[in-house]
Amino acid sequence: MSTFLWVIFPYICLAIFVVGHVWRYQYDKFGWTTRSSQLYESRLLRIGSPLFHFGMLGVVLGHFIGLVIPQSLTDRLGLSHEAYHVIALAGGIPAGIAAVVGLAILVYRRRTVGPVFSATTVNDKVMYAVLGLVIALGMWNTIAGSLLTIGGEYNYRDGVSPWFRQIFWFQPDATLMEDAPLGFQLHAFLAFLLFAMWPFTRLVHVFSAPLGYVTRPYIVYRSRDDRPGVATGTRAQKRGWERVG
Amino acid sequence: MRVMAQMAMVMNLDKCIGCHTCSVTCKQAWTNRQGTEYVWFNNVETRPGLGYPRGYEDQDEWRGGWIRTDNGRLKLRAGGRLNKLLTIFSNPKMPSIQDYYEPWTYDYETLLNAPAQETFPVARPQSLISGKQINIEWSANWDDDLGGSREHAAKDPMLKGIADKVKFEFEQTFMFYLPRICEHCLNPSCAASCPSGAIYKREEDGIVLVDQDKCRGWRMCVTGCPYKKVYFNHKTGKAEKCTFCYPRIEVGIPTVCAETCVGRLRYIGLMLYDADKVLEAASVEDEHDLYEAQRSVFLDPHDPAVQREAERAGIPGDWIEAAKKSPVWRLISEYKVALPLHPEYRTMPMVWYIPPLSPVVDVIKDTGFDAEDKDNLFAAIDALRIPVEYLANLFTAGDVRPVNDVLRKLAAMRSYMRDINLGRDPQASIPESVGMTEEEMYEMFRLLAIAKYSDRYVIPPAHGEQAHALEELATDCPVSGFDDEIFETSGPFGEGSGRGGVTPVAVENLKMLQQRQTADTLVAGGSKRGRVNLLNWDGRGMPKGLFPDRASAGDQAPAPGRGDTEPVDDPALLDDGQARPDNTAGADGGPR
Ligand code: HEM
Ligand code: SF4
Ligand code: SF4
Ligand code: SF4
């Protein structure tokens, strides 16, 4: 069971994540969008969305530091566990709160603003449920586990983090996760579930964050038949209509 | 010199009767889909008036277009690249659906299914956005023909500086119509605002398009365009805009809006311009110089040096020929009677306008003087500051001189031609007084007044060797229907997703039109059986749901007060059992 949960399941999810994105990009470039709802409502979005997104970016950065940078490295740099902890909490808690409050505003808006609600698909609802749970569990782990130390102290940098890194070396040790508290287990499990759902939700917009905008010239010129094998204008070429010669 | 060709349009405002035919045909062709109900690629607004979306010209509020910084460079008014990325999570200046209007339909079902009763049932308006009943308080043409002008037109941003002079007393107001489409700008701020680089200007003909596969829905272009001519499709989550009907232009036929224009006031043709000089011209310091600066970017197709350079730049010979015959070139650069709309936005717009002389003529007529006399007209143009200053705010960033010049030319043409029409000797002094020869004036008259189809539209088709890439040719093929994907308009990720969603423009729209006519739903989700949107009905065939099903009509229309068992006696039924659409008791007195 634990091999399935902490070895097989993560790989399945990651495989779906990667293959799913490639497939969706091939199959559905047209559907690859934020599906912005700002046309319907601006006031709540103006507060909720930046709060949520900046919070989320902080949280993602925090996870990167916490999961990817091994404890041995910070040790070698002379950063004590306590100092690391303080820094992590000082950065993580505000980011987490911003994300949670932002998400709460966004969900409230989705539910109460008529047009936004009728534009919400089942897909969105499931995504919100899982995303919300992952974030809530993450907050619980941070506050209850690290700050208030309810249920004993747990250093995730000895357990969850090495396991996560091992996944990428293809030798995950399931026992590391078996020993983790339930909150961490659930958080990790649902996060992988979210990764598996990712390519099929609106969350794909994260991968088209338009960083190229900073360097490209303002005005884009394009020839009518510029891209080989692709027709003009607003559509991709149909099968059977490839150009000959 | 880097010669590029631009497909451009000129509209002669004196001839616009404000019939909205252009808007409706464009809508039928391109935006009769869910998600674009509120979208009018072509709209006609009454001026003075707020326009659509409401007050869009107030750039202090909407922050569209470019501004010139102190060191002479151009900057997007809504903020540069980093600024855009930092505010991407929520666009600070996005017009809401209320600024356009909330699209609606009527609850026809109530009308059709209501039992016979004393009071006539009403069809209540229902929002196409939320599906709920709404109170209609605004729409795209709420202030049409100066309706409610004290409240609405008085807020027209273009009245700044002259508001005290413009009276909204009915007997003293002037008005005219302003049809607007995307300007297909030489320096498009919509494209510059797009973080994904999905909006591009076509090298061949300068048409500005949104690549639907590359747009990611960051909705920054909506703010970026000062004319508010990029719209957000709220169903697909992508930006859409006027395409200058490129599938038609590519095969050499005019745009839908031009082709169907009742006043026959639109001219389409090529302009050659020097792409290297665009930015410089858009950055001139004084706003009043922008009109001249933009004209200086255009290249004379009759100049052999220009022709050589154009050929070097790969512009085909027949295109250069077409540029020589272009009515747009003649109106803008030879007769100089066309002016750009809001040059002060610095986007270098390419749909130009011949300002209307009619407000001036009307005033003279009202005072009982001869409105075709040159001197009367000239005197009125000089004396009537209101229409002239107002027109200047629209077309020349407030500089009245060019507007005056154009109006004098139109006035001169009017009185010069009167002499000819009445069989009198034409007076050469009239064209001279506005710096034209008699011949030029006559040719201008032919172009403006006779306006033959072949003179109005000089559109060289795109090239045969590129035919595989032509939209309309590909879609014309009858066998393309074999590909089922074309007809699969929606994938699992919402309307239009999946490969099937991005179909040839024509087929996609016709298919969607057909689906909407037969669809049961008002908005996504929730079934509202029997509701019909008559806006999308082209008059052919019978939209499903307009009348109750024949087969079930007998049991669907019980006669109240008589019991359900005797439908045959119900006078509200036709003899074949079909319910009468208006539900009134038949004068023919029941079944025969
Ligand atoms: C990194 C760059 C990102 C960018 C540029 C970005 C941008 C956007 C934009 C423009 C919207 C549309 C807002 C609207 O107008 O309605 C949006 C919505 C959303 N984003 Fe992001 N996003 C990013 C990252 C993320 C991440 C990391 C997550 C979560 C894991 C996320 C989750 C969401 C959700 C849930 C919504 C829907 C909000 C709603 O309308 O209820 N985004 N994003
Ligand atoms: S008018 Fe058209 S081309 Fe110009 S900025 Fe607006 S959308 Fe772009
Ligand atoms: S050019 Fe075509 S798409 Fe643009 S407004 Fe006219 S009809 Fe509509
Ligand atoms: S169809 Fe022609 S005359 Fe009628 S509103 Fe449009 S531009 Fe004006």
Side-chain angles (χ1 to χ4, degrees), chain A residues 23-42 45-47 49-50 53-54 57 114-115 118-119 121 123 199-201 205-206 208-225 227 230-241 243, chain B residues 4 38 66 76 80-81 84-86 88-92 94-97 129 187-188 191-195 197 199-204 210-219 232 234 236-238 246 250 462-463 466 468-469 471 474 477 483 485 488 492-493 496-499 502-505:
Chain A
W23 170 80
R24 175 131 188 228
Y25 190 75
Q26 299 289 330
Y27 171 76
D28 184 31
K29 282 201 193 74
F30 185 62
W32 196 291
T33 149
T34 62
R35 299 228 331 277
S36 163
S37 53
Q38 196 174 355
L39 187 69
Y40 302 136
E41 200 276 349
S42 260
L45 189 83
R46 289 283 298 136
I47 310 166
S49 184
H53 278 95
F54 284 120
L57 292 183
S118 48
T121 62
N123 185 317
F200 312 104
T201 63
H205 74 269
V206 177
S208 44
L211 299 176
Y213 186 46
V214 182
T215 53
R216 77 143 218 264
Y218 263 142
I219 314 289
V220 180
Y221 289 93
R222 220 164 88 186
S223 178
R224 191 160 47 215
D225 46 2
R227 297 170 296 168
V230 172
T232 170
T234 53
R235 63 162 178 156
Q237 193 157 353
K238 287 289 157 189
R239 260 189 286 131
W241 291 98
R243 70 205 252 204
Chain B
M4 290 187 90
Y38 77 100
W66 304 89
L76 287 171
R81 296 179 162 97
K84 284 239 153 54
L85 290 186
L86 285 177
I88 198 165
F89 305 120
S90 158
N91 181 346
M94 166 113 172
S96 79
I97 190 82
I129 299 281
N187 186 29
S193 308
C194 172
I199 304 187
Y200 63 99
K201 196 166 175 62
R202 292 213 300 192
E203 279 164 17
E204 289 84 358
V210 185
D211 184 333
Q212 293 290 308
D213 275 355
K214 281 179 96 185
C215 171
R216 297 282 170 262
W218 306 121
R219 32 111 181 89
F232 197 78
H234 60 91
T236 62
K238 304 248 164 169
Y246 70 90
E250 282 174 359
H463 266 261
Q466 305 156 342
H468 60 271
E471 194 77 36
C477 178
D483 188 350
E485 271 182 40
E488 178 196 293
F493 307 112
S497 70
R499 246 190 262 144
V502 203
T503 47
V505 271

Side-chain angles (χ1 to χ4, degrees), chain A residues 78-203:
Chain A
L79 196 66
S80 74
H81 287 197
E82 287 71 32
Y84 175 87
H85 226 69
V86 171
I87 295 174
L89 287 180
I93 297 240
I97 290 177
V100 168
V101 174
L103 188 70
I105 296 176
L106 287 177
V107 172
Y108 170 79
R109 169 176 176 271
R110 286 245 153 225
R111 187 64 200 83
T112 54
V113 179
V116 185
F117 185 55
S118 48
T120 306
T121 62
V122 177
N123 185 317
D124 286 337
K125 288 176 191 162
V126 176
M127 182 274 293
Y128 264 114
V130 178
L131 181 67
L133 268 177
V134 174
I135 294 178
L137 283 165
M139 283 305 279
W140 169 256
N141 289 340
T142 309
I143 295 174
S146 301
L147 199 62
L148 308 175
T149 58
I150 298 168
E153 192 148 1
Y154 174 71
N155 185 356
Y156 60 86
R157 301 180 81 210
D158 284 335
V160 182
S161 302
W163 165 78
F164 185 78
R165 285 195 297 275
Q166 285 163 357
I167 291 179
F168 297 92
W169 319 139
F170 298 105
Q171 334 182 286
D173 178 1
T175 51
L176 284 173
M177 277 310 283
E178 249 172 70
D179 300 336
L182 185 64
F184 280 89
Q185 287 181 341
L186 280 174
H187 180 69
F189 179 81
L190 286 173
F192 273 102
L193 186 66
L194 185 66
F195 287 146
M197 287 164 50
W198 204 284
F200 312 104
T201 63
R202 61 149 39 143
L203 292 179

